[in-house]
Structure formats: structure tokens, C-alpha cells
Amino acid sequence: MTTAPSTGSSTGSSTAPTAAGLAPLGTRRRAVRSLAGRIGLLGGLAVALLAALVIAAGQGQLGVPLSEVLGSVLHKVGIDAGPMPSHPQGENTLWQVRFPRVVMAALAGAALATAGALMQGVFGNPLAEPGIVGVSSGAALAAAAVIVFELTFAGSWTVAVCAFVGGLVTTLLVYVMSRDGGRTEVVTLVLTGIALNAVTSAGLAFLMFLGDTQAREEIVFWQLGSLNGSRWEYVGVVAPLALVGIGAALFLAPRLDLLALGDRAARHVGVDVERLRLGTIVVVAMLTAAAVSFCGIIAFVGLVVPHLIRMIAGPGHRMLVPASALGGAVLLVVADLWARTAVEYADLPIGMLTSLVGGPFFFWLLRRARRTAGGWA
């Protein structure tokens, strides 16, 4: 698989769009790009997500057998089939603790993976990801300001609104600062991310200095990332943002395929390139806000998942966006299950676990991009 550090305004192949960091389509990719292959991949990911949700809901300090989890769900939707939880607190644990948490994990994972796929498409660079380039930390900084200054102007939506604004501002900064001459270079993108992460880290430290003990603990929660304490009311805030953002991403997907051909070619077929980029940036900010508003900074999901999907299915965004959403949901549900069960009577920060996997993957991808580019002078 070949990786290029930047995209310009030159046209690509007339038969299939090729984005930066993507190899020519081989036999396996052509198979997945067929209708049956697409249905098979999306169907497999959907089944994997349902299985992960049910299994994760039953695991924890209070174990609930799989049959009882399914029985509880069926009874909840009015189907009198399957056993109910035998433990006196089983039903309450499932519906007040486990299900809100696993649904939140699925929503956050889908939002982050979709945001990563959009960022990589709009920047034409496989290294773009909300956590790496500072978008997630910018959104978290705005959310931390809400915590410290006890803002409530939008009720339960206050954190999400401020996180959206913070994510939008940082995404625009990344876009403006990393583009030069109509292209985005790998070095510029990475250095921009390092600078923004440094600034937002300083801002978070300052807010911790200003806040009281409770505020400091909540800000530390943002920095580590965790799904502990998820509630249905939080899901009710995150779900509309995530679903609208994913829907908008599906709408933008065909145009991002045209953008991958280069700015000139995209304009030639009627695409308003700048409007497309700005609209995509707003969608990325919305998705990032949905993910971090109650879960904190969870890095590398938006890097790993879209890249793996590309390796399997190719660069087309019509397939990449929905498959990334499903794959991100599966990844974060499984990662959260690991965080809850890896250490007995402990709840590990999920952001730490995703970084343990995503960090080495990023190093590998960075070195691969450098070797392909012949070095960065």
C-alpha cells in the first residue's frame, strides 16, 4: 500500500478516486467494492456490533448471562420470551448502568471513526484524526471551561454546545494552518497538531488551577477519557449530534470521492470545493463534540478504524463512512468492556487503552508515509 504526504490539485485516475495514503485497488478490494461485498462487510460489522453490545452488557462485577440479557431486552420491547435476570439487581443493573454505557460507547466510537474518515478525506491525508491534530482536546478544553465556570445557558446541552464550538474553532485552525498552496503536507499537519495539543493542554492546566477539587477531578476525567457514569439523559444529548453528523457524512461521501481526484478535477465536475471543505469541517466538529461531550478525550479511534476499512474495502467514501461508523462503534464497545474487566474492581480509563493500541499504529503509519515519500526535507 502506497502513501503520499500531500494532495494537490492534479487530477487522478478516471476510473477510481485515489486519496493520499491509499494503494491501487487489488483483487480483494474489487471484491469488497461489489454490491455483495459491501452488503457482506456492512452486515458483518452490524452483527459484530449487536453481539458486542449484548455481550458487553452482561459483563462486569455483577455478571448477567447472555440468555438473560436477551430475555430482558425482549421483554422490554413487549415480546414475552427468554428468561429474565435471576439476580434481584440484574434488571436494574442492565437498564440503569450497562445499557446506557454500551450505547454511549457505540455512539462515541461511531462519531470518532466517522470524524476521522471525513478529516482524512478533506485533508487528503491518512494521518488526520481528531485526537492527533488537536480537535478533540480543543473540544475538551471548551467543555472544561463549562465545568469550571459552571455555565448552564443551554441546560443539559451546555457542555455539548461548548464542545462543538471548541471543536469547530480548532478544526478551522488546523485547516487554515496546515494548508499551503492548495495542499496539506504531512509534516505541517503533524506539527500543527502538536502545537494545538500543547496550547489546549496548557489551557486545561490553567482551568485546573482555577477550579475547585471537584472541577479538577472532572477535568482529569476529560483528559483520560472514560465512559463511567454514562446515563440515559447523556445518551439523549449525544445521540442526536452523532446521528445527524453521521447522516451528514453519508451525504458528503460522494463529493469527497470527487475531491480525492484533486481540486481542479472536482471543480470541473461542479463541486464547490471550499464550501465542501467548510461543511465537512462543521460536521467533524459536531461529531467530535458528540464524542467528547460526556466521554472525554478518546484518541486514535478516528485514525485506526478508517485506515483498516480502507485496507479492506478501498478508498471510496460511500463505503468508507458507514463501515467506519460501524467499525468504530464495535471497537469502542470492546475497548470499554476491556476497560471494565481487565482489572478486577477497577475501571481503567478508556482513552489510555485506545492510545496503547493507536500510538504504535500511528508510528507505523508515519514511518510508512515517510519511506514512501522518500524522506521529508
Side-chain angles (χ1 to χ4, degrees):
M1 182 171 60
T2 60
T3 308
S6 63
T7 57
S9 58
S10 60
T11 59
S13 170
S14 61
T15 57
T18 303
L22 304 176
L25 295 179
T27 303
R28 180 183 59 179
R29 290 185 177 180
R30 284 195 296 270
V32 175
R33 284 168 65 90
S34 68
L35 179 60
R38 292 179 181 181
I39 294 175
L41 178 60
L42 294 177
L45 288 171
V47 170
L49 176 58
L50 290 175
L53 289 171
V54 173
I55 293 172
Q59 301 298 312
Q61 295 184 19
L62 174 60
V64 181
L66 179 60
S67 60
E68 295 181 358
V69 175
L70 292 173
S72 178
V73 173
L74 291 174
H75 281 81
K76 202 73 172 180
V77 298
I79 302 175
D80 189 11
M84 293 290 288
S86 57
H87 193 280
Q89 294 299 320
E91 183 78 356
N92 185 64
T93 298
L94 284 178
W95 291 100
Q96 299 303 319
V97 179
R98 300 278 175 76
F99 282 131
R101 179 163 181 159
V102 297
V103 171
M104 180 70 82
L107 290 171
L112 288 172
T114 304
L118 291 179
M119 288 196 74
Q120 291 162 22
V122 78
F123 283 105
N125 196 303
L127 300 178
E129 192 265 346
I132 293 173
V133 299
V135 177
S136 294
S137 56
L141 176 63
V146 174
I147 295 171
V148 172
F149 298 114
E150 299 180 351
L151 304 178
T152 58
F153 61 87
S156 61
W157 286 78
T158 304
V159 173
V161 168
C162 290
F164 169 76
V165 174
L168 178 61
V169 170
T170 49
T171 308
L172 289 171
L173 283 174
V174 170
Y175 173 70
V176 172
M177 296 172 64
S178 64
R179 288 185 63 81
D180 182 31
R183 64 178 187 173
T184 304
E185 296 183 348
V186 172
V187 174
T188 307
L189 183 70
V190 173
L191 292 179
T192 300
I194 292 173
L196 283 175
N197 278 316
V199 172
T200 54
S201 295
L204 286 169
F206 180 68
L207 289 174
M208 290 178 68
F209 174 78
L210 292 179
D212 55 19
T213 302
Q214 181 179 355
R216 291 170 187 167
E217 292 177 354
E218 291 188 44
I219 293 174
V220 170
F221 158 83
W222 285 103
Q223 292 177 303
L224 295 176
S226 175
L227 292 163
N228 189 23
S230 298
R231 297 292 182 265
W232 285 120
E233 59 185 295
Y234 302 159
V235 173
V237 174
V238 172
L241 290 173
L243 295 177
V244 170
I246 293 171
L250 292 171
F251 174 77
L252 294 171
R255 300 180 188 181
L256 290 175
D257 285 338
L258 295 174
L259 185 63
L261 296 171
D263 290 4
R264 183 177 301 174
R267 290 191 182 98
H268 183 69
V269 296
V271 176
D272 188 333
V273 173
E274 291 306 315
R275 178 178 294 181
L276 173 61
R277 284 203 171 101
L278 291 176
T280 305
I281 285 171
V282 172
V283 175
V284 168
M286 180 184 298
L287 290 167
T288 305
V292 307
S293 57
F294 295 103
C295 304
I297 301 174
I298 303 175
F300 294 108
V301 175
L303 175 73
V304 174
V305 175
H307 196 77
L308 293 178
I309 296 297
R310 272 199 203 91
M311 293 174 67
I312 297 171
H317 286 83
R318 299 182 194 188
M319 183 66 182
L320 179 64
V321 168
S324 294
L326 290 171
V330 172
L331 175 63
L332 210 57
V333 170
V334 172
D336 180 57
L337 175 59
W338 182 22
R340 290 190 285 116
T341 59
V343 179
E344 192 173 2
Y345 301 112
D347 197 334
L348 299 178
I350 193 170
M352 177 188 72
L353 298 181
T354 58
S355 295
L356 284 175
V357 176
F361 185 88
F362 176 70
F363 286 139
W364 171 81
L365 187 58
L366 190 64
R367 289 180 61 84
R368 188 178 183 87
R370 184 180 181 184
R371 286 198 306 269
T372 305
W376 300 325

